[in-house]
Amino acid sequence: MNMFKMLCEPVVGAIKEFGLGEPTKPQELAIPEILSGKHVLLIAPTGTGKTEAALLPVFSMYLSREWQPGIKILYIAPLRALNRDMLIRLERWGDQLGLRILVRHGDTSVSERQKQVERPPDMLITTPETLQAILPGRRIREHLKLVRWAIIDEVHEFAEDERGTQLAVGLELLSRLAGEFQRIGLSATIGSPSVVAQFLVGADRNVEIVDASVAKGMKLHVESPVPKREDAELADRIFAEPTMVARLRRIRELMNKHGSTLTFVNTREAAEILGSRLRLLDARLPIGVHHGSLAKEVRIAAEEGFRNEQLKCLICTSSMELGIDIGTVDLVVQYMSPRQVTRLVQRVGRSGHHVGELSHGIVLATSPDDAMEAAVISRRALVGSLEPSRIHESALDVLAHQLVGLSLDQSRVDIDDALTLIKRAYPYHNLSNDKLIEVLKQLNSQGLIWLEGNEFKRRMPAWEYYFTNLSMISDTRRYHIDDIASRKSIGTLDEEFVATCAEPGTTFICKGETWQVIDVEPEEKRVLVEPAEDPLGAIPAWEGELIPVPFEVAQEMGKVRAQIAERLKAGDATEHITSWLIDEYPISKAAANWFIKQFEEHARAGLPIPTSDKLVIEIYEQFVVLHACFGTLVNKTLGLVLVALLSTRLGTSVAVKTDPYRIAFRFPMDAAPELLGQMLKELKPEHIGPILQLTLKDSSVFKWRLLHVAKRFGAIRKDADLAHINLRRLAKAFEATPIHEEAMREVMLEKLDAAKTIEVARLVQTGAIELTTIARTKDEGPTQMGWPILDELTSGELIVPRRAELEIIRVLKHRLNNRRVRLFCMNCCTWNVLTRIGRLPESPKCGRCGAGLLTLLPKEHNEVLKVIRKRAAGENIGEVELRLFTRARKIADLILTYGKRAIIALAGRGIGARTATRILAMDFKDEGDFYKAILRAERVYARTRRFWGD
């Protein structure tokens, strides 16, 4: 007991010293279990000393003098930033105890790595990728044989992605090398503790789960500030709706009341918009923005500024969810619903690390559905009802990489031994011998291994493949969005969005405006766009970033709707319903009222309210909205199946758009309500899987995923560029291979939910889920509940001046007149000038001889000058030179005839002498028509340039 106290005291003291608060009780931090040597999964809030408790066995061994030089502890975290923070936190302990603690990851220099090999640390802080990199190393392997403990921080993050699958196998490889060692998993939020615990320790080991997650309480509240008169007056100045101004004002109030505030948003674009609007509201506000697309230096500067209290508020995405040390946080503000319970718990858990403090979070909702969704999520967070963890089982791309890794360790690898080893990792506990052989055959066909009988061995390319594919994170580039009129950059798009959505003609939303894709230039990593007049059907550029709303949250929303509908039917007053809602959920009166009021109009009109067990089909002109409280993934899956059936039946494509509570269809003809209802009733659950397989294999989402799986398999080089790959051919080439199978598995797991959709289809068939239809006339318009999915893309919080045609022409004129051109006189062949077009007179003349025979010289003009001067001197010129001279002369003739207007036309992108001649020959009513003709020519060029020869 004395030893126990002796070990507990430094833990408590260190936690206080580092300002992390105080452990609730030592027993709740699994100290007895950890000291016993058992494998432990410790679930406890941030700031309760999880990491320090996990290190108790180290101090125990140190005090007992059972110490040998070498790596005895591996601390593995998902982020390099977490690694840096942990090193800073633990170095002081290491100095006091004489323990060497070092970090090793992708940024570690070669010289530092060499020092670690020659003089290994006692504790190595690292990442899964670096563990994979060092396991085959001959010298450092010897040091890894001494490992006694592996501490896996933020284990929930690893459990749900392929980096975790890779780590699970890596730990089994390490145990084969070092013998059994103690595994300690740490997390603040886990929805399926037993699943994550088995993931941590493997298929055949026992593990203790210590859940202290309720030891530290939370205070949550959902608000929706009502706009005041001053908000309406500010709205125009900061280009925002009054409702958004009210929320901005509330953030400012909360900042002023608290020492430090973290404000979470769900997308990078939202972070930028919120930051810019807060600065417009008050330029003196000490705020910063932090998200994954910012440069590393910018992110670190924001973290340092917040930690040092130079910034009072940091607006961030999930980049700040994990335990990066940014100092004391008094309050967490979540802007819009966090969409998942685990996200809210993780985010709010960043606050309240002083002794006796609660974690405090406020959600600012932006719509009635947003408010109630946030309230449902907050209630579930307070009772600890988290989303279940979804493990990547039998990931074939990770398996391929691990098999090649085994071949680097041994000259020959027995297939049965490999299967036994890999099946010990929990994600592969159901792996069959046949599937392993399929993957080995694929690797053999790629020239990475030799497959001989019941053994396999490496081939020379195996080394390069293994070490260039250590990371399971897909490398994605970013494309610049350029406005075709102004040539100005609007923002950026992820390569995935470009590959899966950005075809010419597609409309999308960026920076609060709707844009239409004119062309994609893969080589230049550029998307050319123009303002879109019809925003209906536009895709948010951040759609891929959105966190899916779980089935369970959407169902509870449906149940709340049902109870409100019953109370309204019974004649309850709004005030009574509001009071009931406030009693049941942590929601403000204003936000509760907002949610309830949308149902009052619905009820007065005698319209059915969609609930957890009632589907409503709403018909409005060519639109059909299927109201379904099934969450993001189920609605996306059901929408995909229904649109495939509808398109087949109608013989034409049907557009679809989903959100967690609705599936909207846009028909190319008058909507046929009975057709959708009929299909829903006839949809057999057993047909859903095959329909998805057939539909997905031709989708851009699947092809994009296939590309990255092929890279991870080594079938395509890691650095292969989308610009040089035909995704359609790629899909055909990998049909009936493990690569195709793995890509399909990933899409089905991450983007869809077939199992729940099958369950819903069964309930519809049995009548357990009711189906009803309503039709709306043009005069009536969509219902209050149908409008959000039809309107969300045509309106929003940001007010951006309409990009009328006159404005587009003004921008184009400004751009062309500011372009610098070089004029050369073909008469005297000596004079030339570099100037902006706007500075030229209407009829430009040579500054030396006064002639009007002027041509435009390209940037690389030496060859053209040489040809013009040779021709002027009467020398013979060749065929290629003649073409250069003829082009220059045609341009000179145009300028001689049309003056400055010819130069303006030729300054248009992709406009040569032939197109300029056609434009200049037109009869224009005014100058605006002239610039419209140039703009049309630029658009044609942008759409067709990919088909042009050199």
Side-chain angles (χ1 to χ4, degrees):
M1 189 65 182
N2 289 336
M3 172 68 76
F4 179 78
K5 282 185 177 179
M6 195 164 138
L7 293 170
C8 288
E9 283 171 7
V11 174
V12 176
I15 294 169
K16 288 180 178 178
E17 180 184 352
F18 290 115
L20 298 177
E22 192 172 80
T24 50
K25 293 178 184 176
Q27 295 89 334
E28 289 176 339
L29 289 176
I31 291 172
E33 289 84 354
I34 290 170
L35 285 173
S36 71
K38 296 175 182 177
H39 302 301
V40 176
L41 173 61
L42 173 54
I43 310 167
T46 305
T48 50
K50 296 189 296 293
T51 304
E52 289 79 0
L55 287 168
L56 281 176
V58 179
F59 306 136
S60 175
M61 176 169 277
Y62 175 80
L63 291 169
S64 65
R65 307 297 180 190
E66 298 175 15
W67 204 255
Q68 303 173 43
I71 301 172
K72 286 162 285 295
I73 316 135
L74 278 181
Y75 170 91
I76 300 171
L79 299 175
R80 294 176 187 178
L82 271 176
N83 288 345
R84 290 193 301 268
D85 285 345
M86 192 52 59
L87 179 64
I88 294 166
R89 286 170 62 183
L90 297 179
E91 270 183 332
R92 214 174 298 174
W93 282 34
D95 291 343
Q96 292 173 2
L97 293 171
L99 299 174
R100 294 185 71 244
I101 304 173
L102 296 175
V103 166
R104 184 175 180 129
H105 49 55
D107 291 339
T108 306
S109 66
V110 175
S111 61
E112 180 60 29
R113 293 179 194 182
Q114 188 60 37
K115 289 176 185 175
Q116 292 175 4
V117 172
E118 293 168 358
R119 186 169 172 246
D122 299 300
M123 177 177 180
L124 186 64
I125 300 173
T126 190
T127 60
E129 292 79 12
T130 300
L131 177 61
Q132 293 290 321
I134 63 180
L135 277 169
R138 291 182 183 177
R139 293 180 64 190
I140 202 162
R141 278 168 63 89
E142 294 301 311
H143 303 309
L144 290 173
K145 288 179 179 179
L146 297 172
V147 169
R148 299 283 300 275
W149 301 277
I151 300 169
I152 315 300
D153 204 354
E154 307 289 358
V155 67
H156 66 283
E157 284 284 313
F158 288 125
E160 297 194 359
D161 66 23
E162 290 197 346
R163 295 180 74 207
T165 307
Q166 179 190 48
L167 174 61
V169 180
L171 292 174
E172 295 305 328
L173 292 168
L174 183 61
S175 69
R176 184 182 68 170
L177 179 67
E180 287 297 316
F181 49 84
Q182 186 180 11
R183 305 184 191 198
I184 303 169
L186 307 175
S187 178
T189 52
I190 296 181
S192 307
S194 58
V195 173
V196 175
Q198 284 307 136
F199 162 83
L200 171 69
V201 300
D204 300 317
R205 296 181 185 89
N206 295 322
V207 57
E208 292 283 333
I209 301 172
V210 179
D211 190 348
S213 56
V214 295
K216 181 167 179 282
M218 282 193 301
K219 181 182 176 184
L220 298 171
H221 199 240
V222 178
E223 299 181 5
S224 186
V226 177
K228 299 179 179 179
R229 179 175 293 179
E230 63 189 83
D231 299 324
E233 292 169 357
L234 276 170
D236 288 341
R237 182 168 68 81
I238 67 171
F239 302 106
E241 291 283 359
T243 50
M244 185 184 188
V245 178
R247 287 186 283 275
L248 295 174
R249 176 172 44 78
R250 180 60 175 148
I251 292 173
R252 182 174 61 182
E253 288 172 4
L254 293 169
M255 282 175 58
N256 292 334
K257 287 180 183 177
H258 297 82
S260 56
T261 305
L262 268 184
T263 299
F264 281 97
V265 293
N266 295 328
T267 67
R268 290 166 292 184
E269 177 153 276
E272 295 290 351
I273 289 172
L274 196 59
S276 69
R277 293 312 185 267
L278 275 169
R279 290 187 185 103
L280 284 173
L281 180 70
D282 188 344
R284 298 164 300 174
L285 288 176
I287 61 172
V289 173
H290 189 290
H291 58 73
S293 293
L294 294 172
K296 175 184 169 184
E297 296 76 18
V298 176
R299 293 198 305 271
I300 291 174
E303 293 164 21
E304 289 291 334
F306 192 76
R307 187 183 297 119
N308 299 332
E309 299 182 358
Q310 294 168 337
L311 301 175
K312 284 198 68 176
C313 177
L314 194 60
I315 301 164
C316 52
T317 59
S318 55
S319 60
M320 280 283 106
E321 270 182 23
L322 302 183
I324 298 169
D325 179 20
I326 51 170
T328 302
V329 179
D330 300 323
L331 174 72
V332 168
V333 174
Q334 168 67 48
Y335 192 84
M336 301 181 69
S337 163
R339 299 175 70 88
Q340 287 181 357
V341 182
T342 48
R343 296 281 181 172
L344 183 62
V345 173
Q346 193 80 28
R347 291 173 177 185
V348 174
R350 299 308 309 274
S351 68
H353 292 174
H354 289 304
V355 179
E357 277 192 347
L358 296 177
S359 292
H360 187 193
I362 291 176
V363 183
L364 296 179
T366 60
S367 71
D369 277 350
D370 195 55
M372 197 62 232
E373 180 183 283
V376 167
I377 288 169
S378 297
R379 186 202 68 79
R380 296 174 77 87
L382 290 170
V383 299
S385 181
L386 308 181
E387 290 82 22
S389 304
R390 304 179 83 187
I391 305 288
H392 277 264
E393 290 198 24
S394 300
L396 301 184
D397 48 356
V398 177
L399 176 61
H401 189 257
Q402 297 304 307
L403 290 171
V404 172
L406 284 174
S407 75
L408 303 184
D409 291 344
Q410 305 165 234
S411 57
R412 287 181 173 274
V413 184
D414 182 84
I415 292 176
D416 294 334
D417 290 346
L419 181 62
T420 301
L421 173 69
I422 289 169
K423 286 189 72 169
R424 287 172 65 188
Y426 181 74
Y428 292 102
H429 68 285
N430 288 323
L431 180 67
S432 68
N433 185 69
D434 289 345
K435 192 57 64 181
L436 184 81
I437 297 293
E438 280 182 35
V439 174
L440 286 170
K441 285 180 178 177
Q442 178 67 38
L443 294 171
N444 183 70
S445 71
Q446 293 171 204
L448 294 174
I449 62 166
W450 291 109
L451 185 57
E452 298 173 347
N454 204 49
E455 293 181 330
F456 63 94
K457 63 180 183 179
R458 67 177 176 268
R459 296 170 76 172
M460 281 304 294
W463 291 95
E464 182 184 0
Y465 160 70
Y466 182 82
F467 285 102
T468 56
N469 286 275
L470 291 171
S471 175
M472 291 294 114
I473 302 171
S474 299
D475 293 329
T476 56
R477 301 169 176 88
R478 295 190 70 77
Y479 279 59
H480 289 282
I481 311 168
D482 286 355
D483 182 351
I484 193 172
S486 66
R487 296 294 166 205
K488 288 183 179 177
S489 180
I490 298 154
T492 61
L493 291 172
D494 282 336
E495 189 176 33
E496 179 177 4
F497 184 93
V498 174
T500 57
C501 302
E503 295 180 357
T506 301
T507 54
F508 67 95
I509 298 171
C510 182
K511 304 295 185 195
E513 291 190 75
T514 307
W515 304 91
Q516 184 175 42
V517 176
I518 301 299
D519 190 32
V520 178
E521 300 176 345
E523 295 284 356
E524 292 83 4
K525 298 290 176 290
R526 182 166 59 193
V527 179
L528 294 177
V529 300
E530 66 179 359
E533 294 179 5
D534 178 17
L536 195 58
I539 309 163
W542 59 89
E543 189 170 56
E545 294 178 57
L546 281 179
I547 302 157
V549 174
F551 177 81
E552 295 78 11
V553 168
Q555 282 282 283
E556 185 169 340
M557 270 276 282
K559 289 173 183 174
V560 172
R561 287 177 174 184
Q563 291 180 69
I564 291 173
E566 287 174 13
R567 288 170 181 269
L568 287 170
K569 190 175 181 181
D572 271 12
T574 302
E575 297 77 29
H576 294 157
I577 302 174
T578 300
S579 297
W580 160 77
L581 202 57
I582 292 170
D583 288 342
E584 294 291 321
Y585 291 91
I587 187 170
S588 71
K589 183 177 180 180
N593 258 324
W594 200 16
F595 181 67
I596 293 164
K597 280 193 175 297
Q598 68 175 328
F599 299 108
E600 289 183 332
E601 182 182 326
H602 218 73
R604 278 199 299 270
L607 298 171
I609 293 176
T611 66
S612 57
D613 55 5
K614 181 187 286 184
L615 294 175
V616 176
I617 298 174
E618 177 182 343
I619 315 300
Y620 172 66
E621 294 191 322
Q622 77 269 40
F623 300 101
V624 177
V625 178
L626 173 62
H627 295 268
C629 298
F630 299 141
T632 303
L633 298 184
V634 173
N635 279 2
K636 192 174 283 188
T637 309
L638 187 58
L640 198 62
V641 170
L642 289 173
V643 85
L645 294 173
L646 286 168
S647 297
T648 302
R649 180 75 65 89
L650 297 172
T652 185
S653 62
V654 176
V656 65
K657 168 75 182 170
T658 66
D659 71 20
Y661 310 102
R662 305 162 191 83
I663 308 170
F665 303 89
R666 185 177 188 174
F667 286 75
M669 58 194 77
D670 289 339
E674 68 283 352
L675 184 58
L676 183 63
Q678 180 187 335
M679 284 188 167
L680 268 169
K681 289 175 182 174
E682 293 175 356
L683 180 60
K684 290 185 167 37
E686 62 270 22
H687 290 170
I688 288 174
I691 291 171
L692 287 173
Q693 294 275 345
L694 283 170
T695 305
L696 282 174
K697 71 176 187 178
D698 291 324
S699 70
S700 52
V701 171
F702 170 74
K703 290 170 187 172
W704 169 256
R705 185 59 61 100
L706 184 72
L707 168 64
H708 286 281
V709 171
K711 287 182 178 183
R712 292 196 289 268
F713 256 90
I716 295 174
R717 287 187 61 85
K718 182 93 172 171
D719 58 359
D721 197 318
L722 181 64
H724 306 294
I725 295 172
N726 185 309
L727 292 179
R728 190 184 296 276
R729 289 179 189 169
L730 189 78
K732 193 158 185 66
F734 290 124
E735 274 184 339
T737 68
I739 296 172
H740 187 281
E741 181 182 342
E742 173 58 22
M744 188 64 71
R745 183 198 69 81
E746 290 182 20
V747 171
M748 294 285 275
L749 177 71
E750 296 175 16
K751 304 292 186 184
L752 304 170
D753 191 340
K756 276 279 193 303
T757 306
I758 289 168
E759 181 185 322
V760 164
R762 285 201 182 100
L763 292 171
V764 171
Q765 277 207 326
T766 60
I769 292 180
E770 183 187 342
L771 185 63
T772 186
T773 300
I774 57 175
R776 303 287 287 176
T777 66
K778 188 171 184 179
D779 290 337
E780 290 173 324
T783 65
Q784 282 283 94
M785 301 188 72
W787 187 248
I789 197 165
L790 300 177
D791 182 54
E792 64 177 358
L793 303 177
T794 63
S795 66
E797 297 192 307
L798 298 182
I799 299 175
V800 181
R802 183 173 177 83
R803 292 293 300 273
E805 194 169 45
L806 286 176
E807 171 65 11
I808 296 171
I809 296 302
R810 188 193 66 76
V811 172
L812 175 67
K813 180 179 177 181
H814 178 77
R815 189 243 301 173
L816 294 179
N817 279 276
N818 272 277
R819 183 169 174 182
R820 293 163 71 90
V821 293
R822 185 176 293 277
L823 292 170
F824 178 78
C825 179
M826 292 188 72
N827 185 57
C828 66
C829 294
T830 55
W831 181 84
N832 74 88
V833 65
L834 178 65
T835 185
R836 295 187 190 278
I837 294 176
R839 295 175 180 169
L840 291 170
E842 289 303 315
S843 299
K845 305 291 182 187
C846 173
R848 185 171 182 272
C849 69
L853 194 64
L854 308 179
T855 192
L856 292 173
L857 293 179
K859 287 182 180 178
E860 302 297 325
H861 53 259
N862 288 341
E863 195 63 34
V864 178
L865 283 176
K866 189 191 299 181
V867 170
I868 293 172
R869 284 168 176 156
K870 279 176 70 175
R871 185 62 180 258
E875 297 179 27
N876 291 328
I877 56 176
E879 187 177 338
V880 174
E881 291 177 318
L882 180 60
R883 283 202 296 269
L884 288 174
F885 179 82
T886 303
R887 186 181 300 165
R889 182 57 194 250
K890 283 181 179 177
I891 291 171
D893 288 340
L894 283 173
I895 295 172
L896 186 63
T897 305
Y898 297 100
K900 180 180 176 179
R901 181 168 280 199
I903 300 172
I904 293 171
L906 289 161
R909 188 167 183 268
I911 297 178
R914 184 183 301 175
T915 305
T917 301
R918 189 171 64 250
I919 292 171
L920 294 165
M922 295 177 183
D923 185 19
F924 300 115
K925 293 179 183 176
D926 53 36
E927 185 183 57
D929 283 350
F930 168 61
Y931 282 101
K932 286 178 191 175
I934 295 174
L935 184 61
R936 283 195 297 271
E938 288 194 336
R939 287 171 176 168
V940 170
Y941 171 74
R943 291 189 181 103
T944 61
R945 68 182 296 276
R946 69 182 71 184
F947 307 110
W948 293 19
D950 293 336

